[in-house]
Amino acid sequence: MTNVMLDPKVPAPRAAVLDEAHLGDIQGALGTIKLDDTAPRQGLSAKLKTLLAIVGPGLIVMVGDNDAGAFSTYGQAGQNYGTHLLWTLLLLVPVLYVNQEMVLRLGAVTGVGHARLILERFGKFWGAFSVIDLFLLNALTLVTEFIGITLAAGYLGLPKAASVVLAAAIIIASAFTGSFRRFERVAISLCLGSLLLVPIYFMVHPKTSQMAHDFVVPQMPGGAGELATVMLLIISIVGTTVAPWQLFFQQSYVIDKRITPRFMKYEKADLWIGIVIVVVGAAALMGLTAAAFAGTDGAGQFSDAAGIAKGLEAHAGKLASVLFAIALLDASIIGAFAVSLSTAYAIGDVFGIKHSLHRGVKGAKGFYAVYAGLVIAAAGIVLVASDSTLGLLTQGVQVLAGVLLPSASVFLLLLCNDKEALGPWVNGPKTNAFTSAVVGVLVTLSIILTASVLFPDISSAAILDIMAACGVVGVLVAGYSFTRRRTATKEDPIDRTGRENWRMPPLETLAKPVMSTTRKIGMGALRTYLLVAMVLVVIKLVQLALGH
């Protein structure tokens, strides 16, 4: 495929692209790149035009993560603790970039979605857990997006049923056009709507000097007595900023947009644009909420996003609160777009269903049926469920996201070290070291989160003990891995020459990865813990729902 672009006389090697609709011109919302356009990009104008055509996957996946759940989490941080937790956003920037860079690399190089790669490279036993986790979490997350829609509509004085039905119709219709470009134009327009938080920020005018200080100086507000509560909120910030669905969405969307390794640097720029926008939005949300509730009776009394809108109205006037409600509505719809599409792509990957926004409804009936079915089901649940049940569901989604995140990161790391799949694009030592450290931190946070949910009165000392124990285990594991690398036979360095034109061969031609006993034990232990944690969390939530 890539050789054809270099020399039409050379036959194209077979690649692992699973849907022929994923081959052809890049038809982005802001530009087109022809398949046979192989000319080098010289000059600022040519590079800018290329970037505009590529922009989309990174932007949408990042802005889509500033959804209804994010509004709730960042708003809670600002209302209850001011801007003292802004530093968490800065620490999450490299985590966001490294995780999503690995995903876009997998998509551009392999041409195969995240779910299918996990199943094919690790087998049905391991892959089933990851895919089932995604389906469960995405379905619940989609419901929270419609909860956000009802909160925004309620504040704006719009009828609940009509608002939910209209939002569902917009979400479905935008994907059912049979045009990738039209869908992306709608999605990017909604992404621009997320910038409404910036003028609201200036209308509320938080102290810029305090914001700057809290961005770079880590602190734990509330003192030792509130460590458990603050830790839970920090974990929620991590869970809402780095979500498992992002991995599945961006890999499949990169493939559907027909982006190849040749445009990797432009896609990385697209990712950075998205990261900047999401961090600016999150910081603005935390800052404006902190300023609106500072010194009021509402400080420390977070309820939901509608409560934030009322606080903004009291502090900065009706216009600021209305803009906030519109921004919440916009964010909820973007989140619903991304989460629904992530699930539909994954199901298409797993069951071999044609799955591309380039196809019309007749050309990919199963794909569009899954997408529409998820949206309709989520909207229906929100319409019939009680407010108390929906509030409990929102809590449950945040908990499960925090619990399941380490599993998604482990599979991502293993795939990005699979030489058969990525060839010259596999991870380097620094990326592996950083990602391994991130997985260790995520596991620690997941354990703390699970313990805190199961034992609401957990003490600060117990949390510190958990962190210390996980730290010791992490040091021992890192030491063992380092010793193994030092004693193992030195492998030849990876030849990365010509990697812009390297694509993964068909899946059936790849040698299966060898799972060492140590890796099997480690993955088995992690999987067992996550399964037990999920069951315990679900039991706890059911008890809360029944009033026990």
Side-chain angles (χ1 to χ4, degrees), residues 109-127:
V109 174
T110 68
V112 176
H114 204 67
R116 183 62 178 271
L117 268 185
I118 292 175
L119 286 168
E120 292 288 344
R121 302 306 289 157
F122 301 108
K124 295 180 180 178
F125 176 78
W126 296 109

Side-chain angles (χ1 to χ4, degrees), residues 125-424:
F125 176 78
W126 296 109
F129 285 113
S130 179
V131 174
I132 291 171
D133 289 350
L134 175 78
F135 294 164
L136 171 64
L137 193 56
N138 278 11
L140 295 175
T141 302
L142 188 56
V143 174
T144 67
E145 307 299 358
F146 277 96
I147 294 173
I149 289 170
T150 62
L151 290 174
Y155 181 79
L156 294 172
L158 303 175
K160 177 180 177 179
S163 301
V164 169
V165 171
L166 179 60
I170 292 172
I171 294 166
I172 293 172
S174 298
F176 272 54
T177 63
S179 167
F180 183 96
R181 170 170 285 167
R182 280 194 288 269
F183 173 85
E184 188 168 82
R185 282 177 174 169
V186 172
I188 289 181
S189 297
L190 290 170
C191 287
L192 295 177
S194 70
L195 296 176
L196 279 174
L197 289 171
V198 175
I200 301 172
Y201 173 89
F202 286 108
M203 293 170 72
V204 179
H205 50 79
K207 292 183 179 179
T208 304
S209 58
Q210 185 66 44
M211 292 273 293
H213 174 271
D214 292 343
F215 239 121
V216 297
V217 180
Q219 51 190 307
M220 298 294 284
E226 290 191 37
L227 180 59
T229 304
V230 176
M231 282 299 302
L232 282 179
L233 186 53
I234 290 175
I235 295 166
S236 297
I237 291 173
V238 174
T240 196
T241 308
V242 189
W245 67 260
Q246 292 175 289
L247 311 181
F248 293 81
F249 173 84
Q250 188 172 4
Q251 185 164 332
S252 290
Y253 197 83
V254 163
I255 296 166
D256 206 5
K257 191 162 183 178
R258 303 166 176 171
I259 294 173
T260 65
R262 181 164 164 260
F263 299 103
M264 191 72 71
K265 64 181 181 181
Y266 293 98
E267 183 49 42
K268 288 180 181 180
D270 169 44
L271 177 58
W272 273 117
I273 292 171
I275 290 174
V276 169
I277 291 177
V278 79
V279 171
V280 168
L285 182 54
M286 206 178 292
L288 65 87
T289 307
F293 287 92
T296 70
D297 293 338
Q301 304 297 322
F302 174 80
S303 56
D304 54 34
I308 296 176
K310 294 174 183 176
L312 284 172
E313 181 178 356
H315 178 81
K318 189 67 174 180
L319 178 59
S321 61
V322 168
L323 289 177
F324 176 84
I326 294 173
L328 172 60
L329 186 62
D330 177 85
S332 300
I333 293 176
I334 295 175
F337 269 146
V339 173
S340 301
L341 198 53
S342 168
T343 312
Y345 276 140
I347 290 179
D349 269 331
V350 172
F351 294 103
I353 301 171
K354 292 180 179 179
H355 51 290
S356 174
L357 290 170
H358 288 285
R359 295 183 178 275
V361 176
K362 292 183 179 179
K365 295 179 182 177
F367 170 71
Y368 288 104
V370 169
Y371 180 91
L374 287 167
V375 174
I376 293 171
I381 290 172
V382 170
L383 288 176
V384 301
S386 65
D387 291 341
S388 59
T389 302
L390 293 176
L392 185 62
L393 181 61
T394 302
Q395 176 190 359
V397 170
Q398 292 176 340
V399 172
L400 288 175
V403 168
L404 296 175
L405 187 56
S407 176
S409 298
V410 167
F411 279 115
L412 175 61
L413 182 60
L414 293 176
L415 286 174
C416 284
N417 281 279
D418 187 341
K419 294 181 180 179
E420 288 285 321
L422 279 186

Side-chain angles (χ1 to χ4, degrees), residues 454-515:
L454 297 177
F455 309 103
D457 297 325
I458 188 172
S459 65
S460 301
I463 290 179
L464 293 174
D465 288 341
I466 293 174
M467 295 174 67
C470 291
V472 170
V473 172
V475 170
L476 292 175
V477 171
Y480 173 74
S481 300
F482 179 76
T483 303
R484 281 197 62 194
R485 285 197 299 269
R486 290 291 297 270
T487 56
T489 303
K490 186 176 181 181
E491 298 181 358
D492 293 332
I494 299 169
D495 182 9
R496 300 186 186 273
T497 57
R499 66 178 184 169
E500 286 190 356
N501 299 314
W502 197 92
R503 299 296 299 274
M504 185 182 79
L507 285 167
E508 65 271 15
T509 68
L510 304 183
K512 292 292 184 182
V514 178
M515 294 283 284

Side-chain angles (χ1 to χ4, degrees), residues 20-74:
E20 60 270 22
H22 295 157
L23 301 172
D25 300 342
I26 295 175
Q27 299 173 352
L30 306 177
T32 300
I33 301 176
K34 295 290 185 180
L35 179 62
D36 58 358
D37 179 5
T38 60
R41 268 55 181 171
Q42 296 179 347
L44 181 60
S45 177
K47 292 179 179 179
L48 181 58
K49 288 179 180 179
T50 303
L51 176 60
L52 289 174
I54 295 296
V55 160
L59 175 63
I60 296 169
V61 76
M62 287 291 97
V63 176
D65 205 40
N66 260 4
D67 58 358
F71 267 62
S72 176
T73 302
Y74 299 139

